[in-house]
Amino acid sequence: MHRRNRHTGRYDFPALISAQPELGPHVAPNAYGDLSIDFANPAAVKELNRALLRLWYGLGYWNIPEGYLCPAIPGRADYVHHAADLLAEENGGEPPTGAGVRAVDIGTGANCVYPIVGHGEYGWSFVGTDVDTVALDSARLIAVCNPQLCEPLSFRPQKTREHILRGVIGDDERFDILFCNPPFHASAEEAADGSRRKWRNLGVGGARRKAPVLNFGGSATELWCPGGETAFVSRLATESREFAGNVRRFTALVSKSENLPAILAAVRRAGPKDCRVVEMAQGAKRSRFVTWSFGS
Ligand code: SAH
């Protein structure tokens, strides 16, 4: 984990339960005698997220509609901190803070996780975009129900699914950084398989309990787009050229390392001044994002 990530080590369940008493009934000692929750139970995971977001970022309200992606906060926070390091490189080594730092979050989702964490950690302001109006309404509700988020967070619908930046970034606008956690599966079937695999890995598969298809950790539109993350991030790279003067630094998560060569080739074709991969690790889980800038 990044050194500034507050979510290192075990979850502090007693502190989390005192912040969010509704979490209490979901917490019990696991097979090793450590306090834990049933990570296969969406209701328990949602309460854990509420508790984390209340304890660390002061959120009085957070919710997602049923079936939408329930993010693992520690991993999402890692992306934000590593991105802050990129901005620090041009700021005397210190991550810049305050609402004057403008970020855009492509596909902010119903959970609005990057604006919440980016504002909570660094005070940045965010524009979140999404093609899914249910997701965007949920993100808006989170912002209006938390006074500290009302002003710095705003949302824009991407009305054309094939577009990413066109139609949401104005000609004269400037952003310091762009975040994107793309829909990563190539088809609904692949997304369903991914859900089943995740379910199995949690040790709750088998004959007795059936994985809820496409209903565990993400809705259909959130999890897939034609061509998967390779197509999405490549499209973002191609469009980014048009917006070279509007966004200082682009970043996008890449969930599968085998997709990196095709994605990097697409980014290089856009002709940025620099382009690199930032590797991250949360325990045994490796993740990464690609970043590029036209030096504007
Ligand atoms: N940022 C959230 C959600 C990521 S899921 C998180 O990290 O948990 C990917 C999101 O991208 C979904 O909400 C999906 O609706 C959205 N999306 C798909 N195509 C898009 C496009 N062309 N422009 C903006 N968002 C898009």
Side-chain angles (χ1 to χ4, degrees):
M1 291 249 197
H2 190 280
R3 67 183 190 290
R4 286 194 303 276
N5 200 324
R6 305 159 190 254
H7 313 286
T8 51
R10 289 179 185 288
Y11 289 121
D12 181 349
F13 281 107
L16 289 166
I17 293 168
S18 55
Q20 180 74 19
E22 292 86 342
L23 176 64
H26 295 288
V27 176
N30 61 15
Y32 307 98
D34 299 319
L35 287 181
S36 190
I37 61 160
D38 177 2
F39 282 94
N41 175 359
V45 177
K46 202 193 241 191
E47 285 308 339
L48 173 62
N49 273 15
R50 284 203 178 112
L52 285 166
L53 295 173
R54 189 184 285 262
L55 184 63
W56 293 111
Y57 305 116
L59 261 61
Y61 169 88
W62 181 83
N63 200 11
I64 46 169
E66 209 187 314
Y68 277 77
L69 204 59
C70 197
I73 307 295
R76 298 299 205 281
D78 239 34
Y79 177 19
V80 172
H81 289 301
H82 281 280
D85 284 348
L86 296 175
L87 296 180
E89 288 174 9
E90 296 174 11
N91 191 52
E94 284 300 313
T97 57
V101 178
R102 298 193 71 213
V104 54
D105 180 24
I106 299 296
T108 200
N111 61 52
C112 194
V113 63
Y114 296 119
I116 293 169
V117 175
H119 178 76
E121 296 285 352
Y122 299 105
W124 300 338
S125 53
F126 274 82
V127 170
T129 80
D130 212 290
V131 289
D132 182 328
T133 53
V134 173
L136 222 45
D137 283 347
S138 167
R140 279 200 185 100
L141 194 60
I142 294 169
V144 300
C145 292
N146 291 283
Q148 74 274 32
L149 300 181
C150 237
E151 185 81 4
L153 271 50
S154 60
F155 301 93
R156 298 177 191 172
Q158 172 52 271
K159 296 204 170 91
T160 311
R161 186 165 277 279
E162 293 69 40
H163 291 172
I164 298 176
L165 305 175
R166 288 180 203 142
V168 290
I169 294 187
D171 290 348
D172 302 326
E173 268 189 306
R174 285 280 298 174
F175 289 97
D176 298 282
I177 192 151
L178 176 143
F179 290 89
C180 176
N181 182 10
F184 48 86
H185 290 299
S187 68
E189 292 71 41
E190 196 188 302
D193 278 353
S195 294
R196 276 187 222 109
R197 200 167 326 115
K198 192 166 173 185
W199 193 255
R200 264 202 311 279
N201 289 345
L202 284 165
V204 290
R208 278 177 300 120
R209 275 169 88 172
K210 269 204 168 144
V213 173
L214 276 181
N215 196 25
F216 178 66
S219 76
T221 53
E222 279 184 307
L223 291 179
W224 78 277
C225 72
E229 66 178 5
T230 305
F232 197 89
V233 182
S234 300
R235 213 147 27 92
L236 172 63
T238 308
E239 271 193 45
S240 73
R241 213 186 143 65
E242 264 173 62
F243 294 86
N246 302 94
V247 179
R248 182 148 182 83
R249 179 156 289 284
F250 294 86
T251 72
L253 277 183
V254 176
S255 75
K256 297 185 191 115
S257 56
E258 60 265 34
N259 292 336
L260 274 177
I263 288 172
L264 286 172
V267 173
R268 291 203 182 97
R269 271 198 301 279
K273 213 174 111 197
D274 82 274
C275 157
R276 65 192 134 130
V277 176
V278 175
E279 298 285 347
M280 302 182 283
Q282 296 92 40
K285 188 179 182 295
R286 311 249 147 221
S287 63
R288 65 213 61 76
F289 65 86
V290 41
T291 178
W292 65 99
S293 166
F294 296 92
S296 60

